[in-house]
Coordinates of all heavy atoms in Angstrom, one line a residue:
E319 N 109.1 89.6 90.2 CA 109.2 90.8 91.0 C 109.5 91.9 90.1 O 110.6 92.0 89.5 CB 110.3 90.6 92.1 CG 110.0 89.7 93.2 CD 108.9 90.2 94.2 OE1 108.8 91.4 94.3 OE2 108.2 89.3 94.8
V334 N 119.9 94.1 93.0 CA 118.6 94.5 93.4 C 117.8 93.3 93.9 O 117.0 93.4 94.9 CB 117.8 95.2 92.2 CG1 116.4 95.4 92.5 CG2 118.5 96.6 91.9
A335 N 118.0 92.2 93.3 CA 117.3 91.0 93.7 C 117.6 90.6 95.2 O 116.8 90.1 95.9 CB 117.6 89.8 92.8
E336 N 118.9 90.8 95.6 CA 119.3 90.6 96.9 C 118.6 91.5 97.9 O 118.2 91.0 99.0 CB 120.8 90.8 97.0 CG 121.6 89.7 96.3 CD 123.1 90.0 96.3 OE1 123.5 91.1 96.7 OE2 123.9 89.2 95.8
W337 N 118.4 92.7 97.5 CA 117.6 93.6 98.4 C 116.1 93.2 98.5 O 115.5 93.4 99.5 CB 117.7 95.1 97.9 CG 118.9 95.8 98.5 CD1 120.1 96.1 97.9 CD2 119.0 96.4 99.8 NE1 120.9 96.8 98.7 CE2 120.2 97.0 99.9 CE3 118.1 96.4 100.8 CZ2 120.7 97.6 101.1 CZ3 118.5 97.1 102.0 CH2 119.7 97.7 102.1
T338 N 115.6 92.8 97.4 CA 114.2 92.4 97.3 C 114.0 91.2 98.3 O 113.0 91.1 99.0 CB 113.8 91.9 95.9 OG1 113.8 93.1 95.0 CG2 112.3 91.4 95.9
A339 N 114.9 90.2 98.3 CA 114.8 89.1 99.2 C 114.8 89.6 100.7 O 114.0 89.1 101.5 CB 115.9 88.1 99.0
K340 N 115.5 90.6 101.0 CA 115.6 91.1 102.4 C 114.3 91.8 102.7 O 113.7 91.6 103.8 CB 116.7 92.1 102.5 CG 118.1 91.6 102.4 CD 119.2 92.7 102.5 CE 120.6 92.1 102.4 NZ 121.6 93.2 102.4
A341 N 113.7 92.6 101.8 CA 112.5 93.3 102.0 C 111.3 92.4 102.1 O 110.5 92.5 103.1 CB 112.2 94.3 100.8
M342 N 111.2 91.3 101.3 CA 110.1 90.4 101.3 C 110.1 89.5 102.6 O 109.1 89.1 103.1 CB 110.0 89.6 100.1 CG 109.7 90.4 98.8 SD 108.0 91.2 98.9 CE 108.4 92.8 99.5
G343 N 111.3 89.2 103.0 CA 111.5 88.4 104.2 C 111.2 89.2 105.5 O 111.1 88.6 106.6
G344 N 111.1 90.5 105.4 CA 110.9 91.3 106.6 C 112.1 91.7 107.4 O 111.9 92.3 108.5
S345 N 113.3 91.4 106.9 CA 114.5 91.7 107.7 C 115.0 93.1 107.6 O 115.8 93.6 108.4 CB 115.6 90.7 107.3 OG 116.0 90.9 105.9
V346 N 114.4 93.9 106.6 CA 114.8 95.3 106.4 C 113.5 96.1 106.2 O 112.6 95.6 105.5 CB 115.7 95.4 105.2 CG1 116.0 96.9 104.9 CG2 117.0 94.6 105.3
P347 N 113.4 97.3 106.8 CA 112.2 98.1 106.6 C 112.0 98.3 105.1 O 112.9 98.6 104.3 CB 112.6 99.4 107.3 CG 113.6 99.0 108.4 CD 114.4 97.9 107.7
F348 N 110.8 98.2 104.7 CA 110.5 98.2 103.3 C 110.9 99.5 102.6 O 111.5 99.4 101.5 CB 108.9 98.0 103.1 CG 108.5 97.9 101.6 CD1 108.7 96.8 100.9 CD2 108.0 99.0 100.9 CE1 108.4 96.7 99.6 CE2 107.7 98.9 99.6 CZ 107.9 97.8 98.9
E349 N 110.7 100.6 103.2 CA 111.0 101.9 102.6 C 112.5 102.0 102.4 O 113.0 102.6 101.4 CB 110.5 103.1 103.4 CG 111.0 103.2 104.9 CD 110.1 102.4 105.8 OE1 109.5 101.4 105.4 OE2 110.1 102.8 107.0
E350 N 113.3 101.4 103.3 CA 114.8 101.5 103.2 C 115.2 100.6 102.0 O 116.1 101.0 101.2 CB 115.4 100.9 104.4 CG 116.9 100.9 104.4 CD 117.5 100.3 105.7 OE1 116.9 100.4 106.8 OE2 118.6 99.7 105.6
A351 N 114.6 99.4 101.9 CA 114.9 98.5 100.8 C 114.5 99.1 99.4 O 115.2 98.9 98.4 CB 114.3 97.2 101.0
L352 N 113.4 99.7 99.4 CA 112.9 100.3 98.2 C 113.8 101.4 97.6 O 114.2 101.4 96.5 CB 111.5 100.9 98.4 CG 110.8 101.5 97.1 CD1 110.6 100.4 96.1 CD2 109.4 102.0 97.5
R355 N 117.2 99.9 96.5 CA 117.1 99.2 95.2 C 117.1 100.2 94.0 O 117.8 100.0 93.0 CB 115.9 98.3 95.2 CG 116.0 97.0 96.0 CD 114.8 96.2 96.0 NE 113.7 96.7 96.7 CZ 112.4 96.2 96.8 NH1 112.1 95.1 96.1 NH2 111.5 96.8 97.5
S445 N 107.0 100.4 105.4 CA 106.6 99.2 106.1 C 105.3 99.5 106.8 O 105.1 100.6 107.3 CB 107.7 98.8 107.2 OG 108.9 98.4 106.6
G470 N 104.4 87.9 100.7 CA 105.5 88.5 101.5 C 105.0 88.9 102.9 O 103.9 88.9 103.2
A471 N 106.0 89.4 103.6 CA 105.8 89.9 105.0 C 104.9 91.1 105.0 O 104.0 91.3 105.9 CB 107.1 90.3 105.6
T472 N 105.0 91.9 104.0 CA 104.1 93.1 103.9 C 102.6 92.7 103.7 O 101.7 93.5 104.1 CB 104.5 94.1 102.8 OG1 104.6 93.4 101.5 CG2 105.9 94.7 103.1
E475 N 101.2 91.6 107.0 CA 100.9 92.7 107.9 C 99.5 93.3 107.7 O 99.0 94.0 108.5 CB 101.9 93.8 107.6 CG 103.4 93.5 108.1 CD 104.3 94.7 107.7 OE1 103.9 95.5 106.9 OE2 105.4 94.7 108.2
R494 N 108.1 81.7 101.1 CA 108.8 82.4 102.1 C 108.3 81.8 103.4 O 107.2 82.1 103.9 CB 108.5 83.9 102.1 CG 108.8 84.5 100.7 CD 108.7 86.0 100.7 NE 108.5 86.5 99.3 CZ 109.5 86.7 98.4 NH1 110.7 86.4 98.7 NH2 109.2 87.2 97.2
V497 N 106.6 83.5 106.4 CA 105.4 84.1 106.1 C 104.3 83.0 105.9 O 103.2 83.1 106.5 CB 105.4 85.0 104.8 CG1 104.1 85.5 104.4 CG2 106.4 86.1 104.9

Side-chain angles (χ1 to χ4, degrees):
E319 288 288 332
V334 170
E336 291 173 354
W337 269 103
T338 296
K340 294 178 183 178
M342 291 300 97
S345 61
V346 177
F348 185 79
E349 58 272 29
E350 180 183 331
L352 184 59
R355 286 180 288 176
S445 294
T472 57
E475 289 177 347
R494 309 184 198 280
V497 177

